[in-house]
Amino acid sequence: MKILILGAGKMGSFFCDLLSFRHEVAILDTDPQRLRFTFNVCRFSKPEEAETFDPDMVINAATVKYTIQAFEAILPYIRPTAILSDIASVKTGLPEFYAKAGHPFVSTHPMFGPTFASLSNLRNENAVIIKEGDHLGRVFFKDLYNELKLHVEEYTFEEHDETIAYSLSIPFASTFVFAGIMKHQDAPGTTFKRHFDIARGLMGEDDYLLSEIMFNPNTPRQLEKIRAQLAELQTIVENHDSDAMNAYLARLRENIK
């Protein structure tokens, strides 16, 4: 298969390395400097250069802010049968874009962002494949993710957004709160240092990505759950209620089994 990858960032380079020994791969990035460390692929810095490559599939690994823009830039230079594919963690606007694009498409979410995951060992990581879309495209990514030993779930676009509100919005919001009240520690404990490393990694992410995840329509409901938990904990602490604390901790341990 001839595959064109849009974006030579960490995930674009990852897919480039992963696919280039089994498929004919090209990678496009408007910044030629980012193409220096790609190999065994065709390298393009302008969308029109990809026209002669004539890809069967386009994998869009551009940052979330530019996902649709990157698609729109390449559409005039690919045939209508080429499968459009995104790996975006935020699907806002993509169902509407695909409906108008006139191309077969497949949408997935490899849930192992380069900030925390080890891209050389993904055995304990997860991926989502969106049920809507091209059958052959979904089979392609299911085989690919299974080869990486990922746990794969299939969701609709709506189910994906609900899942992301739970699995990303809650830890993101909790980390924001931690970072918001953080002060310098001369002798931090192990737990503090681990939370600090998570916070520092998360705050290194793109502002647009963080904002779009938090702006998920399902996020406010999750934030309300956090607020309710904090209110319950505050009441227990203020009352020095040992019985209530024991019951509270028992419930938490049950939740994380």
Side-chain angles (χ1 to χ4, degrees), residues 5-9 12 59-68 70-71 87-88:
I5 297 172
L6 306 181
I59 299 178
N60 192 335
T63 57
V64 170
K65 185 176 182 179
Y66 299 108
T67 300
I68 292 177
F71 270 143
I87 57 171

Side-chain angles (χ1 to χ4, degrees), residues 9-125:
K10 290 181 180 179
M11 291 302 289
S13 298
F14 169 75
F15 276 93
C16 182
D17 292 344
L18 183 65
L19 297 169
S20 62
F21 289 96
R22 294 191 182 181
H23 302 275
E24 189 175 349
V25 174
I27 188 164
L28 167 66
D29 197 294
T30 54
D31 181 0
Q33 294 297 317
R34 303 182 76 182
L35 299 170
R36 290 181 300 165
F37 304 109
T38 57
F39 65 98
N40 199 39
V41 297
C42 298
R43 295 180 286 185
F44 305 129
S45 57
K46 297 179 181 178
E48 55 267 28
E49 293 176 323
E51 186 169 13
T52 56
F53 182 71
D54 191 26
D56 302 302
M57 176 184 285
V58 176
I59 299 178
N60 192 335
T63 57
V64 170
K65 185 176 182 179
Y66 299 108
T67 300
I68 292 177
Q69 182 178 327
F71 270 143
E72 290 174 338
I74 200 65
L75 283 181
Y77 307 105
I78 60 175
R79 50 189 157 88
T81 56
I83 300 173
L84 301 181
S85 169
D86 77 89
I87 57 171
S89 54
V90 176
K91 305 298 185 184
T92 304
L94 283 169
E96 295 79 8
F97 169 79
Y98 286 134
K100 296 178 181 178
H103 282 255
F105 73 91
V106 55
S107 184
T108 76
H109 180 184
M111 299 180 70
F112 48 86
T115 299
F116 298 115
S118 170
L119 296 182
S120 62
N121 182 11
L122 298 170
R123 185 174 297 272
N124 296 318
E125 302 296 341

Side-chain angles (χ1 to χ4, degrees), residues 1-5 15 18-20 22-25 56-59 83 85 87 106 108 129 134-148 152:
M1 182 182 287
K2 298 180 74 173
I3 300 173
L4 173 64
I5 297 172
F15 276 93
L18 183 65
L19 297 169
S20 62
R22 294 191 182 181
H23 302 275
E24 189 175 349
V25 174
D56 302 302
M57 176 184 285
V58 176
I59 299 178
I83 300 173
S85 169
I87 57 171
V106 55
T108 76
I129 297 176
D134 181 74
H135 173 72
L136 292 179
R138 287 187 284 119
V139 169
F140 174 86
F141 277 96
K142 190 167 186 178
D143 289 344
L144 179 64
Y145 291 155
N146 284 336
E147 182 181 334
L148 293 171
V152 178

